């Protein structure tokens, strides 16, 4: 169940990635068209105003189409195969759902409590009696919740029926058409239930909003604590997205609401806590700017003298990335596994700091790093609200200093093995050896020996058992994804960390080396070194994810490992394996965790058929590579 929630949380993040840039664009448009700052230049009708109004309008695209983005984004993250087709199926089914709602309310509005439905005109910045317009369709405003429900239904239908073989005379209805047909009929009862029940849900959301607002600092603290403590599980997306983009506090989400009202906030001298009382939940970026740098400083202060330079080289870029870009993963995973108690302390300090800032009047969108904070808060609002932001910096620095001393005390008291505190002999020996090999390998590969990525690329190649031990190599946003022929040849995790890896995640022959935001450069140097060595047989890809390698690795393990597998072939939608000992094959439920649809066993032939769908060929290719 946890894996399913993690996967759902990650899928929710697919469309959310677009909101940071869009928010900055809208905020800049509001900033440069602020008459308080730019005078008559920013008056409507001037060329200056027209340019920035045009740019701002483009930025609003993401916020105005948030429902469609979730209808597209969830299938891209959750579909087991043909994800592009799943996204198409989801969008058309979602639009069908809204057309059904529109038609039911046009014909039977009185029965659902909306007798004047046909007379209601949709206007901007209005509740519109709970209605909205999506892709030109007047419908009930189910916000992102309706899009998520429809998308999840389509994903389930897609994963279950996309590969369904129909009779030849119905062949044109297979695949996406079949999924849409099923979705079409599923939307009729869903639309009916929505017309009947959603107005009641809207009343409930309004009541919940009142409760959250009245809960004061307690609600703020719990919200911010959950946003930090749940990061390792990936479930924090489920906490903040309904607030940031959904109807949990205000209709349409806090971020669009703030951006729409930014000009009036900038023009008002009243405290933000009065004119923007709702916008107190998006403060969780403050820890990225104020706490993380002091945590990095604590790691440097507690590092061994012989490792100060190496520790600072690791901490400085991580701290800057956190402060300016709001990306904390490189530092989060540096100590999350080595000292999880420190993660709890960090979460408590974050929640308490943000709550104090809220009590003292801070409101706004502070979910990103300093660049996002400046564009959406400090720059447009500084003239009338600078006292609030001075307070923000004072409180942030105080909590940063407190966090530094708490971390420093606990690291020394309990001897946590944080960066710079690893074993002396292993680290010093490893680094000196790697530096020498890095220069030699760089010279042989014809690359700059002073290149900062060569040393790490050389080290990771050797620690992975050499180029000849690597069968698959690719990367995602911050990680190297690797499959190896012999896991026993892979060095201990501590040796990867000694070469600036944040952590290593293992799963049989597949592992992930968490490198950081410069993983593309490290991958590129590894590829160069592997080609030059002439020993590499690995498949190297620039794609961020190989959707088949994890399943292939899982199936090999569940079949009893490579020594228990005599042969493996693809057969239409099946992976067919002959094994030595059937008793070593895992249960059907274990296979289904890796998206297997059905398992068939033939005792006489010692044969196992794993029904996987149209991806069978790709999965078998990856399994053969592993074998």
């Amino acid at each position: 169940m946890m894996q399913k929630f993690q996967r759902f949380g990650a899928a929710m993040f697919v469309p959310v990635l677009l909101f940071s840039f869009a928010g900055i664009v809208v905020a800049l448009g509001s900033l440069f068209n602020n008459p308080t700052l730019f005078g008559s230049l920013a008056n409507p009708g001037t060329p200056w105003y027209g340019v920035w109004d045009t740019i701002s309008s483009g930025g609003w695209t993401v916020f105005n189409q948030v429902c469609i983005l979730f209808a597209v984004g969830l299938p891209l993250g959750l579909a087991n195969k043909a994800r592009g087709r799943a996204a198409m199926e989801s969008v058309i089914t979602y639009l069908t759902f809204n057309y059904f709602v529109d038609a039911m309310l046009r014909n039977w509005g009185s029965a659902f409590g909306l007798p004047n439905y046909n007379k209601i005109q949709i206007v901007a910045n209005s509740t519109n009696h709970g209605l909205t317009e999506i892709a030109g369709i007047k419908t009930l405003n189910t916000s992102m919740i309706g899009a998520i429900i429809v998308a999840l239904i389509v994903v389930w239908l897609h994963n279950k029926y996309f590969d369904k073989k129909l009779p030849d005379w119905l062949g044109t209805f297979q695949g996406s058409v079949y999924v849409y047909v099923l979705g079409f009929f599923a939307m009729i009862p869903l639309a009916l239930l929505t017309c009947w029940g959603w107005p009641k849900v809207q009343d409930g959301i309004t009541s919940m909003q009142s409760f959250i607002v009245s809960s004061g600092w307690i609600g703020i603290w719990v919200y911010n604590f959950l946003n930090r403590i749940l990061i390792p599980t990936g479930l924090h997306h489920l906490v903040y997205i309904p607030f940031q983009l959904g109807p949990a506090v205000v209709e349409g989400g806090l971020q669009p609401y703030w951006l729409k009202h930014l000009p009036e906030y900038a023009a008002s001298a009243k405290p933000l806590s009065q004119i923007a009382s709702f916008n107190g939940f998006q403060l969780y970026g403050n820890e990225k700017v104020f706490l993380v740098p002091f945590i990095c400083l604590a790691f440097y202060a507690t590092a061994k003298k012989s490792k100060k330079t190496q520790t600072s080289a690791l901490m400085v870029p991580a701290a800057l990335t956190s402060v300016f870009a709001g990306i904390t993963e490189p530092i989060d995973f540096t100590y999350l596994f080595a000292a999880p108690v420190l993660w709890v302390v960090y979460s408590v300090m974050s929640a308490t700091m943000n709550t104090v800032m809220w009590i003292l009047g801070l409101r706004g969108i502070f979910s990103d790093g300093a660049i996002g904070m400046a564009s959406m808060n400090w720059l447009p609002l500084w003239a009338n609200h600078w006292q609030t932001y001075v307070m923000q910096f004072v409180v942030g620095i105080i909590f940063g200093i407190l966090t530094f001393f708490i971390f420093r005390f606990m690291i020394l008291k309990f001897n946590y093995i944080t960066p710079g505190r690893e074993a002396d002999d292993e680290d010093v020996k490893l680094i000196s050896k790697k530096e020498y090999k890095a220069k030699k390998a760089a010279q042989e590969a014809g690359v700059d020996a002073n290149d900062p990525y060569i040393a790490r690329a050389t080290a990771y190649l050797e620690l992975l058992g050499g180029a000849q031990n690597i069968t698959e190599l690719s990367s995602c946003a911050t990680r190297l994804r690797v499959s190896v022929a012999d896991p026993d040849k892979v060095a201990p995790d501590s040796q990867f960390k000694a070469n600036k890896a944040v952590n290593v995640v293992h799963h049989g022959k597949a592992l992930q080396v968490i490198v950081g935001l410069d993983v593309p450069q490290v991958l590129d140097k590894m590829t160069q070194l592997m080609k030059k060595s002439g020993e590499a047989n690995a498949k190297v890809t620039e794609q961020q994810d190989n959707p088949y390698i994890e399943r292939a690795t899982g199936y090999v393990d569940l079949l009893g490992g490579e020594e228990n597998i005599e042969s493996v072939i693809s057969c239409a939608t099946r992976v067919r394996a002959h094994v030595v000992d059937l008793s070593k094959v895992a249960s059907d439920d274990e296979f289904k965790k890796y998206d297997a649809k059905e398992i068939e066993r033939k005792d006489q032939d010692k044969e196992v058929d794993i029904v996987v769908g149209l991806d069978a060929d790709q999965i078998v290719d990856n399994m053969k590579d592993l074998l």
Side-chain angles (χ1 to χ4, degrees), residues 584-600:
K584 294 182 179 180
V585 179
S587 67
D588 292 5
D589 290 339
E590 293 297 318
F591 282 92
K592 289 179 180 178
K593 290 179 181 178
Y594 289 86
D595 299 322
K597 308 298 183 298
E598 187 178 356
I599 309 298
E600 295 179 7

Side-chain angles (χ1 to χ4, degrees), residues 40 99 142 147 176 290 312 404 473 506 536 539 546 623:
S40 60
Y99 273 118
T142 57
S176 291
F290 297 110
S312 63
F404 166 78
L473 181 62
H506 297 267
K539 293 182 179 179
N546 180 341
M623 291 178 69

Side-chain angles (χ1 to χ4, degrees), residues 107-188:
N107 290 287
W108 303 290
S110 298
F112 298 114
L114 288 170
N116 297 317
Y117 175 81
N118 292 322
K119 298 179 180 179
I120 298 174
Q121 299 295 317
I122 305 299
V123 296
N125 300 318
S126 171
T127 59
N128 294 308
H129 302 278
L131 303 176
T132 190
E133 192 172 87
I134 296 175
I137 310 166
K138 188 165 79 169
T139 182
L140 277 172
N141 189 0
T142 57
S143 187
M144 56 180 280
I145 296 176
I148 289 172
I149 291 173
V150 172
L152 290 177
I153 291 173
V154 173
V155 167
W156 183 83
L157 292 172
H158 177 87
N159 289 340
K160 189 174 181 64
Y161 296 109
F162 181 77
D163 297 333
K164 177 72 174 179
K165 175 65 175 175
L166 299 179
D168 292 341
W169 60 280
L170 290 175
T172 57
F173 292 96
Q174 289 182 174
S176 291
V177 179
Y178 187 49
V179 173
Y180 174 58
V181 169
L182 296 175
F184 180 93
F185 290 106
M187 291 304 103
I188 297 175

Side-chain angles (χ1 to χ4, degrees), residues 332-400:
D332 290 345
F333 289 93
T334 298
Y335 68 95
L336 177 59
F337 300 102
V341 174
L342 292 180
W343 183 261
V344 177
V345 173
Y346 169 51
S347 301
V348 171
M349 294 298 291
S350 300
T352 306
M353 176 185 67
N354 290 328
T355 302
V356 171
M357 289 180 178
W358 180 85
I359 292 173
L360 295 177
L362 184 65
R363 302 293 187 273
I365 301 298
F366 294 95
S367 54
D368 297 317
I371 295 175
M373 291 182 181
S375 63
M376 288 185 272
N377 304 272
W378 300 331
L379 292 176
L381 301 181
W382 183 265
N384 285 323
H385 303 285
W386 62 269
Q387 300 95 332
T388 300
Y389 300 134
V390 170
M391 174 277 300
Q392 177 189 11
F393 273 81
V394 171
V395 172
I397 292 172
I398 290 174
F399 270 86

Side-chain angles (χ1 to χ4, degrees), residues 171-306:
T172 57
F173 292 96
Q174 289 182 174
S176 291
V177 179
Y178 187 49
V179 173
Y180 174 58
V181 169
L182 296 175
F184 180 93
F185 290 106
M187 291 304 103
I188 297 175
L190 180 63
L192 182 62
L193 287 172
T194 301
C195 292
W196 172 77
W198 188 251
K200 299 178 178 62
V201 173
Q202 289 175 322
D203 292 339
I205 291 173
T206 301
S207 300
M208 182 178 65
Q209 173 181 319
S210 301
F211 170 77
I212 291 175
V213 172
S214 64
S215 66
W217 66 267
I218 295 177
I220 296 294
W221 193 94
V222 171
Y223 174 82
N224 281 279
F225 177 75
L226 292 176
N227 261 325
R228 287 297 96 190
I229 200 69
L230 292 178
I231 281 180
T233 68
L235 301 182
H236 61 298
H237 302 312
L238 306 183
V239 175
Y240 74 79
I241 289 178
F243 284 79
Q244 181 179 355
L245 307 174
V249 179
V250 293
E251 189 61 48
L254 288 169
Q255 185 165 338
Y257 183 90
W258 173 265
L259 294 172
K260 286 179 181 178
H261 294 82
L262 196 56
E264 62 188 74
Y265 297 156
S268 175
K270 293 182 179 179
L272 291 174
S273 58
Q274 293 182 17
I275 60 177
S277 59
F278 291 134
N279 283 87
F281 288 90
Q282 299 304 102
L283 307 182
Y284 55 84
N286 283 297
E287 54 263 30
K288 304 173 185 180
V289 173
F290 297 110
L291 299 192
V292 171
F294 283 96
I295 291 174
C296 293
L297 183 61
F299 291 157
Y300 175 79
T302 55
K304 297 177 180 179
K305 289 184 179 179
S306 60

